[in-house]
Structures are given as structure tokens and as C-alpha cells.
């Protein structure tokens, strides 16, 4: 069999493929007798195989030319695998402790071979549903976010490097368009793809579509998403794109990566933490009222932003006389103006993050793709109560975000809903 | 002689070159006996030859690998000619009445052959210095600005087309960097390239370098310039990039073109009109007090913005159900929200234009490249008075721009200085 043109792999052809790729077959000690292959892709887009034997293991992720969770009726370029591999390598370079290593990439086959995140790694979202605390999560995620955003921004890089990479990732436009549609457009209009917890949220979904001020704010965010190349963002940094154990935090699936607004990543993560928070009442039972767990989630929200703020500004201090071209030392050398621009930068970024986070929450309640945090609450009425609280908070955040000055105010607002 | 690799042309080799290019030699009826060749480049960057005989004429513009007005010590990619030719063709397609036709482009030679804008066409800036009124100027320039910006923005185009062209123009990064340096950085720091009307403006130049609030605003504008791909902008739309007669207005020299913030073009033009206004007192004499002319300039400032606003929103109405992806009809279909987003868009654009316009004024008074409007005022003291008024207005505009709601308020502010 030849792999000189694209073909979707199955559990049989996959073995033939591996045998033809030394960087993969060597991981298995070139021994294919005790091989185990499992298809585990539970994502919306791709096929994912875990390949292992007694010698080693890896994951093979193949992009197909359509959106898996919708089917062949929603075509989607398989070239996304190329941008995912680029992003994995760049993020891995910048945050090696929190990104799985890439062993192999095949552009023709849209196939990435990478580290298998072995048990007890699970998807963070499932950890939240199970009520598991991850004491290092805020520390690790703030590391990942800080390093990937700072070092690909004009705070660190020259505009020459910046425009070169912006141009490269412009090629990932189809994935950007998917986000534009499902995050910034569909939830605010009648769309065949939208769904919600009906009939409970019928009025709520309608209210989103009729809220002019909400749409005004969403337009501003969409414009930033489409036009502002601030840093290399992951592009889909929800809790389903993170795998965890108590000791390890690994960010996966950056196929939506491009140069966009930093707040989109920070907001995606914080917004999904808030969704996890509001889902907890639906998972509480007599054995576990989840009260302490909710407190831990709130603390994680607060810590993630505060640690990010601390680390990001620390990197800024460290590199302020470096090659970054946003604030040249000759212009911004006096301490007063330096503080002034830094405060404005971080405040704008905070407000962007709140806005994007809110938009990501809203789309998970009235848009096409929902979150298991809510979906796994069996009682639809109870689920609706949780979802409505999250939705109402998100609408308020989106419209009022500029009034908030710090993350502790956000935590207070969450508690009030 | 072969032209298969780059060589700077002179008046002799140029004829040989033309003979080798049918699209150029045919304009001359293949007759080289009565040929006239004049080098007329008075710009900062390039060599420009006017070639004509009794049959026809054209201009040959060649980019050299350095900044002409500085010399070989300031290298500058000659690839800028490629982006200039791209931009000329695109602007010519969108605003054919106001862009000279391109007859020939040679990437190897960094050479553009285009329409010769025959007398009485002169550089608009020289017209302002001479006190000549151009009754159609606001009409024509608002046409050019509206058409080139609207049709390359997401109000008209899909994000697929947008990202493709954004990527292409990312290649023009060296010219973007030149703007970053001379507009957004050098005037606000000590730089060997800065100059000003010394000793009169010594304190004023120092005050610019020490004004923290000014630097804070400049940082925001620079960030928009570096990161926000809103539309294909000319990138250098001052009054030296426009050639005029009473009937004709032609925009030339888009070698700084890239996808950037629309306000940079609008501001460049308005800012240079304001510079022209403040220079008039220096050109007044007993024969002509320039009072009526100053009124005409103010009217042109007001008309340019108002006509732009009118035409731009009219195009928006016309194409609101088209392929533009910024405001999808399904989301923004009700009249109330449509007005709301349009008002916000135009207000933001107005404030951007004021900010960029102010930055362009400041750099022309304390930065590397000055304007003939002021430079041609022989009396340095009188010149300083004119320059200081312009500088003070610009500083105010940059810091207070968000307080202005319409162009008439700007005209009032100009009159007060």
C-alpha cells in the first residue's frame, strides 16, 4: 500500500503506515506482534488512534476533510493538521512541560504522531465532572498561557518575525471561519446548528438573539478575532483541550491556532472554568455536595489570572530591553510611563479575556457544540437552572466587562449568580 | 545589455530597457529618435523617470535598495516595488478615476511603468503652498478613500479573501517597519534622525519626548498599526502622494501599502491638510493674506470626512446582504442593532483617524521627514510659530480624540489654535 496521497487510516492500514515510518516504528522497537491499536477520538473533528506495545506508545491523530461530529455535510480542510503540527511544535518549544512531543508529521496524510498521554491522564473536563481537584492546574495553565502568548507577541519579537508568522498562519483560515461561525455568529441568529435545553431555555435562547447590546459587544470581539494578530493563540483552549493528572497538565489540539487576540485563549480557559463551576450543582449528591469543590474552582479561576498576570509582567520586565518592538526602551524607559503602558495593556487584556470568555460560555449553551459539564446532568430541569445561571452571568460579563478591574470582582459576581 | 538581474537604470540604460519591453516601447510608437527622459524623483525613496516622445509618454519608477533621502546607510528592500505595483493595481481596480494606470511591472528590476500624470498635474502639497483651490479635491479623495478601504474590508469581503491578502502584504514588512520607526517611535525618543526648527522648537521637541500621556496614546496607535489588519491601506497618504489639477486627483506612491487600520490613511490625509492650514500664515503676504484660502482648507477637511462618512455608510447599506462577514445579516438584520453597530464603527474610525492624523502631524515637525508646507517658510521664527500651533493641536487631538464627536468640532478646535 502506498501513502503518497491522502487516505483515511483504519486499524489495519495504520499498521502498514507505521511500518513505513522509522521515527514511529522505532518507538515500538520495530515489533508489531503485540501491538494494540485503539480509536479514541471523542473530539468534534478528528480520528485519534492510540498505538502501543510492550516497548512504547504514541498517538496518531488524523484530520479528515470534514467535521467529524457533523459528518461529511460540513467539509473542513484537512490542512488543519499542518497548522496543528506547527502550533504543537511552537508551543512545545515555548512551554515544553505542558505540550506533548511531536514525533512525526505527514502533510499528505494530515497525520500527526505524538506522545501518548498515558493514564491516569484524563481530559480536564471529565475531571471537573468527577469533582477532582488539581492542585497545580492554575500554576501549569498560567505557565502555558504566559509562555505561548508572551513569546509570540510584539513584547518579545520584532515585527519582521511577527509578520512572517502571521502570514503563515493566515493559511489556517478555514478553522478561523469555523470559530467565527460557531462562537460569534450562530448563537445570535436562527441557525440549523443551534440547540439548547428545550423547552426550558427557549426564551433564553430567543433573548440572546434579540439582545442588541449583546450583539454590539459580540461584533467588537469578532472584529478583534478576525483582524487583530496579537500573538500565536491556541484558538480552542477549553477544558476539553487539556489533559491532566494531579502532577501533569498537557495542552493538546491546537488545530485552531493562528495569530489572534490573546484574550481569546485566556477567556476560553476561564470561561470553561466558570461553566464547570455552574455545572457543579447538577453533579452534587448526598455523598458530595460539591461546595468545597466549587470553592476550589473559584480559587483556580482567581489563581490562573493572577499567576498569569504576575508571570506575564515578570517576562515583560525581564525582556523590556530585548528585541520586542511594541514598547521601545528609548521611548518607554522612564518608570512612570512604563507602568502606565503596562497597566493599560493588562487592563485591556483582562477586559478582552472577560469578553471572549463570556462569548465562549454563551455559545456552549445556545450554540452547536455543548459541554459535557452540563450535558451529563441527567435531570433536564436541574440542568436548565445551572445553564441559565451561566448564561446570565456571561451576558452580564460581555456587556459590563469594562467595569471590572480585577479577577476577585469576577469571582464575587460568579458567587452572586 | 541584459536585465535578468537587478541594476539601477540611468538615462542611457533606461532606453535600452524600454526597447526590450513591448508594452512600453509600443506607447512610444517604437520610435526612440525624439525621446525625452527626465529624472524627477523628489520623493524620499525612489528614482522616477519621465519618458516621452511625440507619440506617447509614461513614468518609470525604480526602487533602489536603500532610502534615497538618507543614502545607502539606510538599506530598504527594493521588493517594495512589488507591493507598490500590487497596490496600484488593486487601488486602480477599486478607484480607477484616481489611480494612474500600470503598464508594466518588472520584479527583478523593481521597476514600474505607469501613466505619466501630465501637466498641469502637480503635487497637491505644492498646490497648497501656492494657495491654489481644488474644488473637487474632497469629492475625489473621499471617493478614493471610501472605495479602497470599504472594498478591502470585512464589510465587503469574506474572511477567506481577507486572510489571503493579509498574508500577501505581510511581505511588505520592511516598509511597515520604516513607518513604525519614523511615525511611532523616533519622534518620542532621542534619535539621530530627528530634527526640528532649532532653537525655536527645542523645548517643544523635548516636551514631546517627555509627555507620558502622549506616549501612552502613541503606543495604542502603534499596536493598531502593527496588529490590526482592517483593510488594504495606502500607508503614506499625505499630500505629497496626491497629484492634482483642478479637474483631476490622482493618488500615487502606495509602496507602504499593507493590511492595516483604515484610520491611518484617513488620518494621514486629514493631518496633512491641517499642516497645510497651519502653514498658510507663513505664506501670507501683502498680495494674498490667505484668509479665504484657509477657510477653503477647513471646508476641505470637513467635506472630506463628511463625504467619506456618507459614501462609506452608503456602500455599507448597499452591500449589507453581500459576502462581507463582519456583520452577518442574520445577526444584524434589525434596523436598531444595524444603526447601533454602524454608529460605533464610524465613531471608532473617526477617533482612529484623529489619532493617526495627529501622530502624522507630530512626526512631520519633530521627526526625520518634514513637509515643504513649513520648510518653504523662509523666516525661521515665523515658521516656528506655525509649526508650534500645529504641534500643539496635534498633541491635544492625540490625547483628547475620544471626546470629539464630529469633524465640525475639529474644525472649531483648529480655528482656536
Amino acid at each position: 500500500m502506498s501513502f503518497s496521497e491522502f487516505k483515511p487510516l483504519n486499524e489495519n492500514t495504520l499498521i502498514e503506515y507505521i511500518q513505513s515510518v522509522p521515527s514511529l516504528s522505532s518507538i515500538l522497537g520495530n515489533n508489531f506482534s503485540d501491538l494494540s491499536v485503539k480509536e479514541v477520538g471523542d473530539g468534534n473533528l478528528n480520528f485519534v488512534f492510540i498505538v502501543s506495545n510492550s516497548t512504547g506508545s504514541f498517538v496518531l491523530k488524523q484530520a479528515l476533510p470534514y467535521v467529524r461530529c457533523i459528518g461529511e455535510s460540513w467539509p473542513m480542510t484537512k490542512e488543519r493538521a499542518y497548522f496543528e503540527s506547527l502550533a504543537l511544535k511552537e508551543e512545545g518549544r515555548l512551554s515544553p512541560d505542558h505540550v506533548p512531543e511531536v514525533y512525526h508529521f505527514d502533510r499528505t496524510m494530515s497525520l500527526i504522531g505524538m506522545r501518548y498521554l498515558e493514564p491516569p491522564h484524563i481530559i480536564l473536563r471529565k475531571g471537573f465532572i468527577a469533582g477532582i481537584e488539581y492542585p497545580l492546574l492554575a500554576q501549569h495553565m498560567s505557565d502555558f498561557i504566559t509562555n505561548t502568548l508572551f513569546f509570540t507577541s510584539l513584547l518579545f519579537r520584532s515585527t519582521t518575525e511577527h509578520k512572517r508568522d502571521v502570514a503563515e498562519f493566515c493559511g489556517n483560515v478555514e478553522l478561523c471561519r469555523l470559530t467565527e461561525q460557531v462562537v460569534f455568529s450562530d448563537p445570535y441568529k436562527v441557525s440549523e446548528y443551534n440547540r439548547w435545553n428545550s423547552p426550558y431555555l427557549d426564551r433564553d435562547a430567543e433573548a440572546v438573539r434579540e439582545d442588541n447590546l449583546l450583539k454590539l459587544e459580540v461584533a467588537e470581539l469578532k472584529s478583534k478575532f478576525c483582524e487583530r494578530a496579537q500573538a500565536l493563540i491556541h484558538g480552542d483552549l477549553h477544558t476539553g483541550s487539556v489533559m491532566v493528572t494531579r502532577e501533569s497538565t498537557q495542552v493538546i489540539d491546537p488545530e485552531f491556532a493562528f495569530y489572534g487576540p490573546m484574550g481569546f485563549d485566556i477567556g476560553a480557559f476561564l470561561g470553561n472554568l466558570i461553566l464547570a463551576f455552574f455545572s457543579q450543582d447538577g453533579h452534587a449528591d448526598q455523598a458530595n455536595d460539591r461546595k468545597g469543590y466549587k470553592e476550589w474552582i473559584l480559587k483556580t479561576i482567581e489563581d490562573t489570572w493572577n499567576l498569569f498576570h504576575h508571570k506575564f509582567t515578570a517576562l515583560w520586565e525581564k525582556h523590556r530591553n530585548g528585541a520586542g518592538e511594541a514598547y521601545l526602551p528609548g521611548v518607554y524607559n522612564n518608570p512612570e510611563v512604563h507602568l502606565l503602558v503596562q497597566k493599560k495593556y493588562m487592563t485591556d487584556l483582562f477586559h478582552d479575556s472577560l469578553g471572549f470568555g463570556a462569548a465562549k460560555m454563551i455559545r456552549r449553551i445556545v450554540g452547536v457544540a455543548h459541554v459535557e459539564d452540563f450535558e451529563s446532568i441527567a435531570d433536564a430541569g436541574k440542568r436548565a437552572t445551572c445553564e441559565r445561571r451561566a448564561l446570565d452571568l456571561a451576558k452580564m460579563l460581555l456587556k459590563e466587562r469594562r467595569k471590572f478591574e480585577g479577577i476577585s470582582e469576577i469571582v464575587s459576581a460568579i458567587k452572586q449568580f
Side-chain angles (χ1 to χ4, degrees), chain A:
Chain A
M1 188 164 205
S2 153
F3 300 102
S4 59
E5 57 183 49
F6 177 79
K7 52 178 69 88
L9 289 179
N10 57 42
E11 303 198 0
N12 296 320
T13 54
L14 182 135
I15 296 175
E16 237 181 295
Y17 181 83
I18 294 166
Q19 287 172 331
S20 74
V21 178
S23 64
L24 294 177
S25 49
S26 65
I27 294 172
L28 304 171
N30 294 300
N31 174 6
F32 302 93
S33 57
D34 64 341
L35 206 60
S36 151
V37 176
K38 269 186 297 188
E39 206 284 306
V40 296
D42 66 347
N44 297 324
L45 297 177
N46 307 290
F47 282 85
V48 178
F49 300 91
I50 298 168
V51 180
S52 65
N53 68 4
S54 52
T55 309
S57 64
F58 52 82
V59 156
L60 278 183
K61 179 173 178 179
Q62 187 173 37
L64 268 63
Y66 52 83
V67 178
R68 183 182 180 181
C69 69
I70 305 277
E72 303 196 17
S73 64
W74 192 330
M76 180 57 51
T77 175
K78 56 190 172 52
E79 265 293 271
R80 63 187 187 265
Y82 170 68
F83 295 102
E84 177 169 359
S85 76
L86 275 190
L88 276 171
K89 288 172 199 168
E90 179 73 346
E91 291 169 354
R93 194 177 65 76
L94 298 171
S95 188
D97 292 345
H98 305 298
V99 180
E101 188 183 348
V102 174
Y103 304 133
H104 172 69
F105 174 64
D106 182 333
R107 192 162 182 173
T108 305
M109 290 286 285
S110 301
L111 198 68
I112 302 172
M114 65 180 121
R115 178 186 162 194
Y116 167 49
L117 295 166
E118 67 295 340
H121 277 102
I122 62 168
I123 293 287
L124 175 56
R125 195 185 296 288
K126 292 184 188 289
F128 278 122
I129 294 166
I132 304 167
E133 294 188 14
Y134 296 95
L136 300 174
L137 182 64
Q139 193 62 260
H140 288 170
M141 285 305 293
S142 59
D143 265 356
F144 173 84
I145 294 171
T146 302
N147 288 321
T148 56
L149 298 184
F150 180 86
F151 289 112
T152 60
S153 78
L154 289 171
L155 291 171
F156 181 74
R157 301 175 92 186
S158 71
T159 49
T160 304
E161 298 166 306
H162 183 74
K163 283 219 195 298
R164 180 198 61 206
D165 290 357
V166 168
E168 168 90 290
F169 277 94
C170 276
N172 204 17
V173 57
E174 276 201 44
L175 278 277
C176 291
R177 286 169 68 85
L178 181 55
T179 300
E180 289 160 28
Q181 177 179 346
V182 300
V183 176
F184 299 109
S185 299
D186 279 358
Y188 304 93
K189 68 201 251 296
V190 175
S191 159
E192 58 178 314
Y193 299 111
N194 288 342
R195 58 189 186 85
W196 55 83
N197 189 351
S198 183
Y200 301 97
L201 296 190
D202 287 358
R203 270 297 305 141
D204 302 79
E206 194 186 356
V208 166
R209 294 195 301 269
E210 289 175 354
D211 191 330
N212 289 347
L213 290 178
L214 202 62
K215 291 179 177 186
L216 181 68
E217 295 297 342
V218 166
E220 179 173 329
L221 294 173
K222 182 178 174 184
S223 142
K224 280 193 179 158
F225 183 83
C226 293
E227 295 174 347
R228 184 164 190 207
Q230 194 178 20
L232 177 61
I233 65 173
H234 178 283
D236 197 28
L237 198 55
H238 58 81
T239 50
S241 297
V242 182
M243 294 195 71
V244 285
T245 68
R246 277 184 66 89
E247 294 77 31
S248 164
T249 307
Q250 302 292 326
V251 178
I252 59 173
D253 293 353
E255 59 216 296
F256 287 84
F258 76 114
Y259 275 74
M262 294 179 177
F264 193 77
D265 271 5
I266 304 168
F269 188 66
L270 295 180
N272 275 269
L273 292 185
I274 299 173
L275 291 179
F277 174 88
F278 281 110
S279 75
Q280 292 303 316
D281 286 354
H283 300 300
D285 54 30
Q286 286 195 316
N288 186 347
D289 65 7
R290 300 276 178 130
K291 281 190 183 152
Y293 193 60
K294 284 165 72 177
E295 286 301 319
W296 176 77
I297 297 178
L298 292 179
K299 186 169 182 319
T300 301
I301 291 169
E302 193 157 356
D303 287 354
T304 301
W305 173 262
N306 285 336
L307 286 166
F308 163 75
H309 188 289
H310 175 76
K311 293 172 187 176
F312 192 88
T313 51
L315 282 181
W316 190 337
E317 294 306 325
K318 185 174 171 191
H319 296 282
R320 62 188 275 198
N321 294 311
E325 298 201 40
Y327 303 96
L328 297 185
V331 182
Y332 296 96
N333 47 3
N334 85 64
E336 204 177 312
V337 72
H338 176 67
L339 276 178
L340 211 55
V341 294
Q342 194 167 82
K343 182 160 174 22
K344 177 163 162 44
Y345 191 101
M346 297 310 289
T347 302
D348 287 349
L349 184 49
F350 183 57
H351 293 157
D352 276 7
S353 302
L354 296 179
F356 286 120
K360 301 276 271 181
M361 290 171 67
I362 292 170
R363 76 98 157 194
R364 293 294 193 177
I365 298 168
V366 298
V368 56
H370 286 226
V371 289
E372 199 182 332
D373 311 62
F374 291 132
E375 300 295 289
S376 60
I377 300 170
D379 180 329
K382 199 189 265 187
R383 185 164 89 237
T385 306
C386 296
E387 290 173 316
R388 187 175 293 116
R389 282 187 199 135
L391 184 62
D392 289 344
L393 175 82
K395 286 166 64 177
M396 183 279 288
L397 278 184
L398 193 46
K399 289 191 266 194
E400 312 285 333
R401 65 191 185 278
R402 296 174 197 84
K403 293 181 185 158
F404 291 91
E405 293 190 5
I407 193 74
S408 62
E409 296 171 27
I410 302 300
V411 168
S412 302
I414 296 170
K415 283 180 176 166
Q416 278 167 32
F417 272 76

